[in-house]
Amino acid sequence: MTYPMTEPAAELAAPFSPCLQDLHDAASRAGLAVSASASWPETGDDGEVTPLAGFIESSFSPLIAQVAVRALERRERPPPDRATATATAIVIVTALGDVTSAARVAAAVDRGERVFPLLFFQSVPNAIAGYLAARWHLTGPVVCVSATSAGLDIAALLIADADADDALVVRVDLAGTSGDSGRAAAILVTGTTSQNNLGTA
Amino acid sequence: MAEQAPAACRGPGTVVLTGVGVLSAFGRGTEALLSGVLSDQPAFGPVQRFDATSRRVRVAAAMPGSPDLLTELDRAVREACDDAALSPGDRAHSPLFLAIHGDPAIGRARPGSPGTGLHGLGSDAFTAEVAGRAGLAAEGFRCYTSACVAASTAIADAAAMIARGRADRVVVAGGYLVDSDQFALFDAGRVLADDGQVRPFSAGRRGLLLGDGVGAVVIESDESARARGARPLARLAGWGRSGDAYHPCQPHPEGHGMARAITAALRRAGIAADDLGYINAHGSGTGQSDPAETNALRLALGDAVADVPVSSTKSLHGQSLEASGVLELIVTLLAVREGMLPVNAGFLGADEACRLNLVLGEPLAAAPQYAMSLNAAFGGANTALVVGLP
């Protein structure tokens, strides 16, 4: 298995960094095949994550978009056209969630200030999932959980039960301190023969 | 019914609900919730839990005082486990799937050195604490944060696992208690109803209102339940999930995604649309969501949509965000077992874009064998759950 990244384990070993290796290992345990993967940062050129229109103040959603788009562009087949689209589930894994946005909201509330309206729209991880789903026509279920193993187990069952043909699983974590844009990794997974023979009724 | 690829399929096991525990603005426990939703009196009132004077809207459905989320989740989980007559040994082998917005402490945590200041916080730590207090399994717990479909997704996942024999029993809980931060966000997003009422599918509807909701359900295989002598409250007959692939926070106006979730749930239940005797709708009371849901129901149910009674009990207990799926499944279960369907409160008049057979005026006496609970969320996420009486 080859990973399209230049600095593997050491680069991803910080306390709150998502780990591409963990995603691959969890996919393997769940009986899933990985068709594409990506992470941030991957190379020294990955400095500041590219901002995303409509998402403000926090790198949480832009990080998810960055690794998701990289993985989607690397998948072994071209994106399906709308007439023959497969259903791709989106599973977002985050241990702490968007701590930057949560802290911004809490600070504004504690000061008795109004909250900037765009923070409402990015207050749940579903929003960036919906952004990706719309751009890439991903019609499978949208799920957000806090642990990698759960995320891959969920993806495996969605595929086995034909809720989805494949799944985009993204792990993202912010460090929770200002100035640290966090890290993310994504894999696209499909079922394997053994995974699909689980006694479909 | 499940042979036609690529339609949704499932494992062969029968999935049952054996216990419930709940809190809403009507009070703690199932009796308070059932009498509340059958009273036709919405639980909305002025927010007193925190200072809302600077907000555009100052109304929610909240219990008196400032209940603590961890304490109330523990109480609801214990109530559900007691209701299911689970022994300490049974509980110790039952994982918890918890639906919450996140660790409530995260927003005001004070990080120390980079990467270490949030140690011990987070959704998993919070979930482990709830599971530990209630004596549930120390491993295999999960935390779902998928907004307003978090709990219903957890329930669907638990059902799918049990149907395939990957688990014998899962306790699913969800919790949201009206709080200053989410209230400020929803107020800033201008989605709260400035007339102080939620009016799903009605002309003149002006938005949603938040409401307290903490719920827990024990989901297990019929085989497991019978082996320990438990009497199922109902079957969790079908479940469906889908994505709209349309917009970050708006539903697909034609309801395509939700229609697929409904169709998958009916298929897994092995029933036809006209077998449904009640639908507890997502019915947020917002301008865009209610017509989209109506279109989804028309797409998925066809002619049967004209007859099946529909109500959104968010018009009574409010929108409980991540907990909505479990609170509203419990409402659906209690209503069907009681033989009384709650009203769709706040109705002012028909909206041509929301033509449904709404339960209006007073609760409807009925004896449905099957009922469906629908939920939708940001990201175009949709869920449908079907309960069937044993």
Side-chain angles (χ1 to χ4, degrees):
Chain A
M1 191 175 293
T2 58
Y3 300 166
M5 52 186 288
T6 57
E7 296 177 292
E11 181 66 22
L12 294 165
F16 294 106
S17 68
C19 183
L20 188 56
Q21 185 68 54
D22 280 352
L23 283 174
H24 278 265
D25 291 348
S28 179
R29 286 195 301 273
L32 296 167
V34 178
S35 61
S37 62
S39 62
W40 180 279
E42 280 184 349
T43 72
D45 294 334
D46 286 347
E48 291 294 315
V49 68
T50 307
L52 202 58
F55 294 88
I56 60 168
E57 303 229 8
S58 169
S59 57
F60 183 84
S61 296
L63 272 170
I64 292 172
Q66 194 84 47
V67 294
V69 169
R70 279 181 175 176
L72 288 163
E73 288 176 340
R74 288 169 184 169
R75 69 167 135 187
E76 291 164 350
R77 52 186 171 72
D81 63 43
R82 290 177 182 239
T84 59
T86 55
T88 299
I90 302 175
V91 180
I92 294 176
V93 180
T94 175
L96 298 176
D98 187 350
V99 289
T100 303
S101 292
R104 294 278 192 282
V105 173
V109 168
D110 291 347
R111 289 194 298 262
E113 297 172 354
R114 287 193 176 276
V115 174
F116 198 63
L118 280 177
L119 286 173
F120 168 63
F121 299 105
Q122 68 184 45
S123 62
V124 287
N126 290 48
I128 187 61
Y131 169 92
L132 291 166
R135 291 288 179 101
W136 289 79
H137 199 64
L138 311 177
T139 60
V142 172
V143 187
C144 310
V145 288
S146 57
T148 301
S149 57
L152 271 300
D153 287 345
I154 289 166
L157 201 47
L158 290 174
I159 293 169
D161 278 353
D163 289 297
D165 299 294
D166 57 8
L168 171 69
V169 185
V170 182
R171 168 95 199 188
V172 60
D173 284 291
L174 305 183
T177 54
S178 61
D180 189 330
S181 61
R183 296 156 194 270
I187 57 174
L188 270 157
V189 292
T190 57
T192 60
T193 303
S194 60
Q195 199 267 339
N196 281 332
N197 289 338
L198 288 171
T200 298
Chain B
M1 288 183 66
E3 288 78 16
Q4 296 174 18
C9 55
R10 56 172 288 179
T14 299
V15 184
V16 295
L17 296 159
T18 52
V20 301
V22 75
L23 170 153
S24 70
F26 293 115
R28 296 181 179 86
T30 53
E31 287 185 16
L33 177 61
L34 182 62
S35 63
V37 297
L38 293 181
S39 72
D40 190 24
Q41 296 299 312
F44 303 114
V47 172
Q48 297 177 330
R49 189 171 293 168
F50 49 85
D51 181 8
T53 51
S54 64
R55 306 298 167 212
R56 175 174 158 269
V57 175
R58 305 178 196 92
V59 175
M63 289 183 70
S66 300
D68 171 68
L69 185 60
L70 184 57
T71 303
E72 296 301 339
L73 277 166
D74 179 35
R75 195 207 58 77
V77 168
R78 287 173 187 272
E79 182 185 355
C81 291
D82 291 347
D83 191 31
L86 293 181
S87 70
D90 295 331
R91 296 177 201 214
H93 290 92
S94 304
L96 173 69
F97 290 3
L98 181 65
I100 51 171
H101 183 75
D103 186 332
I106 282 290
R108 289 172 179 78
R110 294 287 177 262
S113 55
T116 61
L118 298 173
H119 179 73
L121 296 176
S123 306
D124 270 357
F126 189 85
T127 305
E129 180 67 21
V130 176
R133 287 190 182 197
L136 299 181
E139 296 181 350
F141 59 81
R142 294 180 181 175
C143 185
Y144 288 74
T145 58
S146 325
C148 302
V149 297
S152 49
T153 299
I155 290 166
D157 282 350
M161 289 173 66
I162 291 165
R164 283 193 177 275
R166 295 188 185 183
D168 291 327
R169 183 187 311 111
V170 177
V171 177
V172 179
Y176 172 70
L177 296 169
V178 177
D179 71 308
S180 57
D181 292 7
Q182 291 300 313
F183 197 92
L185 281 165
F186 277 75
D187 191 66
R190 301 183 75 85
V191 294
L192 298 179
D194 60 5
D195 62 350
Q197 294 295 329
V198 180
R199 308 181 188 282
F201 308 109
S202 170
R205 63 188 178 278
R206 299 188 65 83
L208 63 87
L209 291 171
L210 298 176
D212 286 346
V214 178
V217 289
V218 177
I219 307 173
E220 60 187 314
S221 70
D222 186 55
E223 191 178 5
S224 164
R226 293 190 187 284
R228 60 184 188 83
R231 282 187 64 183
L233 301 170
R235 282 179 294 127
L236 187 48
W239 52 92
R241 287 152 287 180
S242 69
D244 281 350
Y246 178 71
H247 192 273
C249 51
Q250 293 175 12
H252 192 296
E254 299 302 319
H256 291 156
M258 183 177 276
R260 279 187 284 110
I262 295 169
T263 301
L266 292 175
R267 183 181 180 86
R268 288 194 172 107
I271 62 172
D274 57 11
D275 291 324
L276 285 175
Y278 173 58
I279 294 173
N280 187 291
H282 171 64
S284 66
T286 59
Q288 292 171 315
S289 180
D290 290 357
E293 184 172 9
T294 303
N295 287 334
L297 285 165
R298 300 184 82 83
L299 263 178
L301 304 186
D303 293 341
V305 79
D307 297 321
V308 59
V310 177
S311 64
S312 164
T313 49
K314 288 187 178 76
S315 60
L316 296 159
H317 53 62
Q319 163 68 272
S320 300
L321 305 182
E322 283 80 5
S324 296
V326 66
L327 175 66
E328 291 163 24
L329 181 72
I330 292 170
V331 169
T332 304
L333 174 69
L334 296 176
V336 168
R337 285 175 59 85
E338 183 74 8
M340 293 293 289
L341 308 181
V343 297
N344 188 85
F347 194 78
L348 296 173
D351 177 345
E352 284 303 312
C354 304
R355 298 287 288 189
L356 294 166
N357 181 25
L358 298 170
V359 181
L360 299 174
E362 60 185 13
L364 177 67
Q369 283 298 300
Y370 290 96
M372 177 179 277
S373 177
L374 298 176
N375 287 100
F378 270 17
N382 308 287
T383 61
L385 302 171
V386 175
V387 293
L389 289 184

